[in-house]
Amino acid sequence: MAETATLGSKPFLWEGTDRKGNKVKGKAMAADEAAVRADLRRQGVVPSRVRKQSAGLFKGQSKITPGDIAIFSRQLATMLAAGIPLVQAFEIVGSGHENASMQKLIMAIKGDVEGGSALAEALAKHPIYFDDLFVNLVEAGEQAGALETLLDKVATYKEKTEAIKKKIKKALTYPMAVLVVAFVVTIILLIFVIPAFEDLFQGFGADLPAFTRMVIDLSQFVRNQGWYLAIMIAAGIYAFLYFKKRSRPMRHFLDRMALRMPIIGPIMQKASIARYARTLSTMFSAGVPLVEALESVAGATGNIVYEVGVLQMKDEVATGQRLQQSMENTDLFPNMVIQMIAVGEESGSLDEMSAKVADFYEEDVDNAVDNLSSLLEPMIMAILGVLVGGLVVAMYLPIFKMGSVI
């Protein structure tokens, strides 16, 4: 059924029969059950059951992710390019979305547009999901009468940036997950397995090897002081995440250190350059003035070091300096990037050259992440072998020692 709900609406599941007597069912957004039944009857459906969808069915789907916004942008751009009116496009996209929160957001924007607001103005009311870059591009498209073209550029931009983020997360998530599993297995061995060997060794009446003694002492420490250690680790992780989210100096320090890390650092640098070039290309091709564009580009780089550098570039460009020279002054960009931007400035095709830089570095990030995954797999296996194998060897050393004596 068509959904005309606003941000205060709730999800309902309904069942009924249509004019031909066929059983039908679906999902609707409405203020209450009576509104759902009334809307169904207007469409010739006799409702037999209408119930509010429980929050549990939407667990894990309530949060609106950047991926949801990217898909929404692509769907809206495609429908406008096909000639579907804006309000009808919102209704189609909203009614077909599985995420209840996304449905509410889309229907709220649709309601604002129906009330006479410009699309950019309606999007600006939800800054958590639509940043200044998104709103500025949509506004430029509305003013130029080419909204579908600009939405297509926005959708492409969102898809590209999300793809890079997913690649980097994939590179970091796998080794972290394996290391966490290795840590858990080690703790289990120290708490439950090592004590059994300790009781066995007490009947030997001989001195234990130093390595075995060290593992047994570690096991005793974990069993006796493990709760305090776990609380300290949990508190440390919480404090780190808390200050990382709220302290800009700490984020600046972490981003700077990330760029200097071996292996990971070059990937983070290439990803920031790719986002910088992609955003610059999108903004400049939309007709946004360079100084104004750099403001949005700074926040889109994903790294505070690059954000500060681009804001410095914006100030220098505002005084009349060329973009190429301002990029050189930051000492953040490779010579190849600077030269391609210089060619774009000279030829009047800055958007095209920036897009080529973005394409090159996005592909470079893909290759680097794939290589990193191939490199990390044997390293992780070696770490697992050292942790688990080391504990096993430590427990069997006394047995090997007795065997050699015999």
Side-chain angles (χ1 to χ4, degrees):
M1 65 179 278
E3 298 184 22
T4 56
T6 61
L7 199 58
S9 301
K10 307 176 188 67
F12 287 87
L13 295 175
W14 58 265
E15 298 176 7
T17 54
D18 60 12
R19 292 186 179 94
K20 297 179 180 180
N22 298 321
K23 290 186 178 181
V24 291
K25 61 182 179 179
K27 183 167 58 179
M29 298 295 298
D32 51 37
E33 182 179 332
V36 177
R37 291 182 178 275
D39 200 4
L40 286 169
R41 291 191 185 97
R42 283 196 297 270
Q43 299 179 59
V45 176
V46 179
S48 59
R49 185 185 183 195
V50 177
R51 61 185 176 87
K52 184 179 177 182
Q53 188 154 16
S54 64
L57 293 176
F58 277 93
K59 188 175 181 181
Q61 296 182 353
S62 60
K63 184 179 180 181
I64 298 176
T65 65
D68 291 328
I69 301 300
I71 293 172
F72 161 73
S73 305
R74 174 56 64 197
Q75 290 174 327
L76 194 59
T78 302
M79 291 188 179
L80 290 181
I84 298 175
L86 182 60
V87 173
Q88 185 180 352
F90 270 109
E91 193 157 327
I92 295 171
V93 174
S95 61
H97 213 289
E98 295 182 353
N99 189 332
S101 298
M102 193 66 190
Q103 282 185 350
K104 293 178 182 180
L105 175 63
I106 293 171
M107 291 305 173
I109 297 170
K110 170 180 170 284
D112 290 335
V113 173
E114 282 182 315
S117 298
L119 178 57
E121 183 181 345
L123 295 175
K125 292 181 180 180
H126 309 280
I128 296 176
Y129 310 115
F130 303 101
D131 54 18
D132 292 340
L133 169 63
F134 199 114
V135 174
N136 290 340
L137 288 173
V138 170
E139 185 178 11
E142 287 182 305
Q143 292 175 355
L147 181 57
E148 63 276 6
T149 303
L150 266 297
L151 275 173
D152 181 72
K153 292 183 180 296
V154 171
T156 302
Y157 164 76
K158 285 287 184 182
E159 289 164 354
K160 294 283 188 180
T161 52
E162 284 305 305
I164 291 179
K165 289 179 183 178
K166 287 180 180 178
K167 277 283 185 180
I168 294 175
K169 285 181 180 178
K170 176 185 175 183
L172 299 178
T173 301
Y174 173 71
M176 289 300 297
V178 175
L179 290 177
V180 168
V181 171
F183 177 77
V184 172
V185 170
T186 302
I187 295 298
I188 291 174
L189 290 174
L190 289 173
I191 294 176
F192 299 105
V193 178
I194 304 301
F197 280 91
E198 183 181 359
D199 294 338
L200 176 65
F201 295 153
Q202 285 179 352
F204 282 6
D207 293 335
L208 297 175
F211 185 36
T212 304
R213 185 74 261 166
M214 181 185 70
V215 171
I216 291 176
D217 291 342
L218 178 61
S219 173
Q220 292 174 344
F221 174 79
V222 170
R223 280 178 285 153
N224 297 331
Q225 311 294 332
W227 288 111
Y228 301 106
L229 186 63
I231 292 172
M232 289 176 60
I233 292 174
I237 293 174
Y238 176 81
F240 173 80
L241 296 176
Y242 179 87
F243 288 108
K244 180 178 182 293
K245 187 176 181 180
R246 292 167 175 80
S247 173
R248 186 175 175 85
M250 182 175 180
R251 283 165 49 211
H252 192 284
F253 170 78
L254 292 174
D255 284 353
R256 188 170 64 250
M257 294 304 296
L259 293 174
R260 294 178 179 176
M261 288 177 61
I263 304 176
I264 296 294
I267 295 179
M268 302 297 288
Q269 181 188 30
K270 291 171 184 176
S272 294
I273 293 173
R275 284 195 287 261
Y276 161 83
R278 180 65 62 190
T279 311
L280 180 62
S281 172
T282 305
M283 295 290 285
F284 202 73
S285 63
V288 180
L290 182 58
V291 175
E292 185 179 338
L294 288 174
E295 183 81 35
S296 297
V297 171
T301 56
N303 188 293
I304 292 184
V305 175
Y306 275 86
E307 180 181 341
V308 172
V310 174
L311 289 176
Q312 175 189 323
M313 288 162 49
K314 185 202 78 168
D315 295 336
E316 293 177 359
V317 170
T319 62
Q321 192 170 95
R322 293 181 59 189
L323 180 60
Q324 170 203 1
Q325 185 61 48
S326 64
M327 289 175 65
E328 289 180 356
N329 294 341
T330 63
D331 199 28
L332 293 174
F333 298 93
N335 186 61
M336 185 272 285
V337 177
I338 296 173
Q339 293 305 314
M340 291 188 72
I341 294 297
V343 171
E345 281 189 296
E346 290 290 342
S347 61
S349 57
L350 183 59
D351 54 339
E352 293 181 15
M353 296 306 293
S354 298
K356 291 183 183 298
V357 171
D359 290 338
F360 175 82
Y361 275 92
E362 284 165 358
E363 184 177 356
D364 213 6
V365 169
D366 287 347
N367 295 332
V369 169
D370 291 339
N371 293 336
L372 178 63
S373 300
S374 301
L375 176 66
L376 286 177
E377 285 180 8
M379 291 179 61
I380 291 171
M381 292 301 105
I383 293 173
L384 283 173
V386 169
L387 284 176
V388 179
L391 293 178
V392 172
V393 169
M395 292 301 97
Y396 279 94
L397 273 178
I399 298 175
F400 295 154
K401 186 176 179 181
M402 288 182 60
S404 63
V405 172
I406 295 174

